[in-house]
Amino acid sequence: MVIDQLGGIGSSLSVPAKGGRIKSLADGLARAMAKYVAVKEREGLGPILSGRINSLELPESSTAIVASTDQESPFKIKCCPE
């Protein structure tokens, strides 16, 4: 599947994310596609098209796409003080 081929592809710049580091544009696309497929299987296509989805979180069993968090980055996440 395309998700398996794109997932884990790295580049010189990775971005911190909630589920681990996104290693490249291809890796980020694979994660988004994996979330879509998981939600589609769990909720069905109707709620996706109508916008009635409660959660876009991946189920616990879909951890193959999540990148490792052990890679250091010179970039820091800036959070809004509010």
Side-chain angles (χ1 to χ4, degrees):
M1 182 177 236
V2 174
I3 295 171
D4 298 329
Q5 293 174 348
L6 294 177
I9 292 177
S11 69
S12 61
L13 176 64
S14 63
V15 179
K18 183 178 178 182
R21 298 192 75 78
I22 298 175
K23 297 178 180 181
S24 66
L25 180 60
D27 187 49
L29 180 60
R31 287 173 180 235
M33 290 169 55
K35 281 186 178 184
Y36 169 78
V37 169
V39 170
K40 182 179 172 190
E41 288 175 357
R42 186 177 64 225
E43 304 285 339
L45 189 56
I48 292 174
L49 296 175
S50 65
R52 297 180 315 220
I53 299 298
N54 294 331
S55 174
L56 293 179
E57 297 300 316
L58 285 173
E60 294 297 323
S61 63
S62 298
T63 57
I65 299 299
V66 177
S68 64
T69 58
D70 58 352
Q71 181 181 1
E72 290 296 321
S73 172
F75 302 99
K76 303 291 181 193
I77 298 174
K78 293 184 179 180
C79 298
C80 178
E82 297 176 8

